[in-house]
Amino acid sequence: MKKWSFLMICMMMLFYTAMAQKITVATYNMRNDANKEDAANGNGWKQRYPVIASMIRFYGFDIFGTQECLHHQLEDIKASLPGYAYTGVGRDDGKQAGEYSAIFYNSTRFSLLEKGDFWMSTVTDRPNKGWDAALPRLCSWGKFKEISTGFTFWFFNLHMDHVGVKAREESARLVLAKVKQMTGGLPVIVTGDFNVDQNSPSYGVVNNSGVLKDAYETAGIKYALNGTFNAFNPNAKTDSRIDHIFLSSDFKAERYGILTDTYRSRDTDVAKAGSANFPKEVSLDKYTARVPSDHFPVMVVLQYEVK
């Protein structure tokens, strides 16, 4: 009898272990393609987006929020990521005009059950500016189902105003209210460019709410040697994290990383690097180090249980 009980316990432990799942989530402000000086300075979208797409494939993002992309940028990313789809609208007209806060997801793993968008304002159902915001600001959301397990969760992605202090605080309160109102107690992920760092009262509205918690604070492993804004300068350093991933307690953050990957672009005048102690077969040229966007992406690996 004791032997049978022991076997039953072992089988149950194996069952629950098998039902523990992992998901890789990210948030990435990819910089809009409306700034002509970016291309003039060597940071044009056509140069950057293949690097961004390669990074996403390499790190294996399952679902991620994007900020600032215009419609053609989203289409470029989608074309570079077979098997991915996205949801979202342009903030200027609720269709395709202006920047999106789109959500990309691996459509072979997740199905989109419901989707929608709301403007961060006192008027949420159409394009407008809220409070002291300089621009219309949008939050896009989706209700997703994992195809293999049936696990269902909500994903919200936003971009808060860069000027309006009141707008950011009220936007944080609005998003919390929407989460409580819409999700029915199901697991929730909120990503975005909040334009405030971890010391801001607006950040505290979300992080201290008892509803959502910054994945950075709970992650078992952290790889965050810099903040998340870089102004296209690979040599810049900040401790401010203005891009965040907030989680309901249904998710356990296993790993958290701010991905400071760089790439190299060919200069007009390419010269050989100075003398160094390396084999003569090695060709080492002087290129310019660049970052794929003026923000670094934030990535987390989450654990969750399928009940």
Side-chain angles (χ1 to χ4, degrees):
M1 187 69 180
K2 289 183 178 179
K3 183 178 180 181
W4 175 250
S5 298
F6 176 76
L7 288 173
M8 285 294 294
I9 292 171
C10 289
M11 290 176 64
M12 289 176 66
M13 289 177 66
L14 286 171
F15 174 79
Y16 284 114
T17 300
M19 296 303 284
Q21 302 290 313
K22 292 185 180 182
I23 180 175
T24 300
V25 176
T27 184
Y28 201 171
N29 182 323
M30 297 183 183
R31 175 72 165 181
N32 71 72
D33 190 27
N35 298 282
K36 294 181 180 179
E37 65 271 18
D38 287 352
N41 293 331
N43 296 309
W45 174 247
K46 290 183 179 180
Q47 176 176 305
R48 296 189 294 111
Y49 87 78
V51 180
I52 290 173
S54 293
M55 185 188 302
I56 292 167
R57 289 196 300 269
F58 179 79
Y59 286 105
F61 295 176
D62 293 307
I63 186 167
F64 58 97
T66 67
Q67 300 86 40
E68 286 203 13
C69 284
L70 303 174
H71 184 74
H72 73 275
Q73 293 178 273
L74 296 174
E75 290 298 308
D76 286 338
I77 293 295
K78 182 181 177 182
S80 302
L81 297 175
Y84 284 77
Y86 71 86
T87 182
V89 298
R91 71 185 184 189
D92 291 351
D93 66 352
K95 298 177 182 177
Q96 295 184 1
E99 297 178 7
Y100 285 59
S101 293
I103 302 165
F104 272 84
Y105 60 98
N106 184 340
S107 59
T108 65
R109 180 171 181 180
F110 304 109
S111 58
L112 180 61
L113 303 179
E114 299 177 34
K115 63 179 181 178
D117 317 87
F118 59 87
W119 278 259
M120 290 186 287
S121 169
T122 54
V123 180
T124 62
D125 62 349
R126 57 184 181 273
N128 70 107
K129 293 186 289 186
W131 304 286
D132 57 349
L135 297 165
R137 295 295 181 176
L138 181 71
C139 180
S140 292
W141 57 267
K143 184 179 180 181
F144 294 91
K145 180 179 179 180
E146 187 171 35
I147 296 169
S148 62
T149 67
F151 178 76
T152 303
F153 64 98
W154 292 76
F155 196 108
F156 295 77
N157 180 55
L158 58 85
H159 189 183
M160 288 189 183
D161 200 64
H162 65 304
V163 174
V165 176
K166 182 176 176 59
R168 290 193 291 265
E169 185 169 348
E170 293 299 332
S171 294
R173 297 185 191 282
L174 175 63
V175 170
L176 277 175
K178 290 288 188 181
V179 167
K180 293 176 183 178
Q181 172 192 339
M182 295 170 57
T183 61
L186 287 174
V188 180
I189 299 170
V190 177
T191 65
D193 176 357
F194 286 70
N195 267 315
V196 295
D197 73 4
Q198 62 273 22
N199 302 307
S200 166
S202 298
Y203 166 91
V205 167
V206 181
N207 196 51
N208 301 327
S209 65
V211 178
L212 300 167
K213 199 71 177 177
D214 186 354
Y216 175 88
E217 292 199 357
T218 62
I221 299 173
K222 297 182 178 69
Y223 180 68
L225 305 180
N226 206 331
T228 62
F229 183 68
N230 60 60
F232 279 125
N233 181 359
N235 297 312
K237 175 71 171 72
T238 180
D239 293 322
S240 292
R241 293 179 282 108
I242 65 173
D243 303 86
H244 304 290
I245 299 175
F246 291 99
L247 309 169
S248 66
S249 60
D250 308 272
F251 295 101
K252 178 182 178 182
E254 178 183 285
R255 289 186 288 149
Y256 173 105
I258 297 174
L259 307 180
T260 56
D261 298 51
T262 62
Y263 68 103
R264 304 297 182 268
S265 69
R266 191 178 186 88
D267 292 338
T268 304
D269 181 22
V270 178
K272 293 291 182 183
S275 61
N277 186 23
F278 55 81
K280 64 181 181 180
E281 292 85 0
V282 176
S283 176
L284 194 61
D285 299 323
K286 287 185 177 179
Y287 275 52
T288 297
R290 298 188 182 277
V291 287
S293 178
D294 62 344
H295 289 239
F296 293 122
V298 178
M299 184 193 91
V300 295
V301 176
L302 306 178
Q303 295 179 356
Y304 59 94
E305 288 186 2
V306 179
K307 300 176 182 179

